[in-house]
Amino acid sequence: MAHARGMGAEVIETCVPAVNEDGLGFAGGHGFVETDRYVLDGERDEWVDLRLSPEGGGH
């Protein structure tokens, strides 16, 4: 994340399957916050979009 910031990234986003509790916990522990939950058309799996704010540095 530091490299992305160094390259000028203002926003860093990721997408994690909702069933992946470890992945959601990892992202949350690094400063990501949930911005959306959705199920793609024709699918059953729920996805979670997360965003690291410009102030959030992560680890």
Side-chain angles (χ1 to χ4, degrees):
M1 288 187 276
H3 180 72
R5 295 277 189 225
M7 297 293 296
E10 294 180 15
V11 176
I12 300 172
E13 297 178 318
T14 190
C15 183
V16 179
V19 298
N20 185 347
E21 294 179 16
D22 289 340
L24 291 171
F26 179 84
H30 284 81
F32 284 82
V33 294
E34 183 177 328
T35 59
D36 195 16
R37 280 185 182 247
Y38 54 91
V39 176
L40 297 172
D41 290 342
E43 300 291 327
R44 293 183 178 179
D45 297 329
E46 184 177 37
W47 292 86
V48 181
D49 285 345
L50 302 117
R51 177 179 289 181
L52 184 64
S53 69
E55 299 80 34
H59 296 290

